[in-house]
Amino acid sequence: MSDAWKREWERDRIGSALRGENPAVVRRLGSGFAVMGDTQFLPGYCVLLVDEPGVGRLSEMSRGKRLGFLGDMDRLGEAVERACGRVESGFRRVNLEILGNTDPFLHAHVWPRFDWEPEDLVGRPVWLYPPERWSDPEFALGPRHDVLRAAIGEELDRLA
């Protein structure tokens, strides 16, 4: 499927973040950008985007940059954990993942998990959620997530 329907910043998430044009960015970190996920069916879902366009995997970075990225992933994970624990009911834990199966750039997923998730999914990978959860406009990132977004940003600042 062509990505012609996507907004400009979505076609170049890293470049748009570097130019200050990516509205999903929460904070600039040492190795990249903490961004809110496009879908929020698990409120607080964030992604760490590497700040070097063209880097597709950890092994393409120097050891120092690699450790910096992993450290930022840890920092974002802890920020999401603290913010969701404070703002969202039923917060349970955070899952961290670096997959790289769909998007060609290095990124890490930070998934908050909740006690209210369906019993058949709560202990399983997020990727097993039904496809409609990923595209349902009800769960799209929007202004209703501003409080949680601000809380994650505050926690990132505290952890700096």
Side-chain angles (χ1 to χ4, degrees):
M1 173 190 236
S2 165
D3 69 348
W5 60 272
K6 288 186 176 181
R7 292 169 286 197
E8 184 62 35
W9 69 268
E10 290 175 308
R11 280 186 226 126
D12 181 13
R13 291 178 187 270
I14 296 169
S16 64
L18 288 166
R19 293 186 303 274
E21 299 168 359
N22 184 330
V25 171
V26 177
R27 290 291 186 278
R28 174 75 155 99
L29 304 180
S31 68
F33 298 92
V35 302
M36 295 293 289
D38 295 347
T39 184
Q40 292 289 310
F41 63 85
L42 294 174
Y45 166 53
C46 287
V47 178
L48 174 62
L49 300 176
V50 70
D51 62 2
E52 295 183 50
V55 171
R57 55 183 66 93
L58 279 171
S59 60
E60 294 174 4
M61 300 168 78
S62 69
R63 169 107 20 227
K65 288 187 177 201
R66 191 179 310 174
L67 293 175
F69 185 83
L70 293 171
D72 284 343
M73 181 177 74
D74 171 64
R75 180 176 161 202
L76 179 56
E78 187 171 349
V80 169
E81 182 176 309
R82 288 179 178 190
C84 287
R86 202 165 28 97
V87 175
E88 292 294 324
S89 64
F91 173 73
R92 182 176 182 193
R93 65 176 298 120
V94 164
N95 294 158
L96 306 172
E97 301 176 309
I98 297 177
L99 301 172
N101 297 323
T102 304
D103 293 313
F105 49 87
L106 177 62
H107 61 285
H109 301 272
V110 178
W111 286 105
R113 303 302 301 262
F114 298 90
D115 290 335
W116 47 256
E117 291 180 62
E119 188 175 321
D120 62 327
L121 293 171
V122 71
R124 305 190 70 200
V126 170
W127 309 104
L128 297 178
Y129 266 86
E132 56 272 10
R133 284 286 182 115
W134 299 86
S135 58
D136 189 330
E138 175 188 351
F139 301 115
L141 178 63
R144 70 185 171 282
H145 302 106
D146 286 350
V147 170
L148 184 53
R149 176 193 187 109
I152 292 168
E154 291 165 9
E155 293 299 342
L156 283 168
D157 294 344
R158 282 189 192 103
L159 293 166

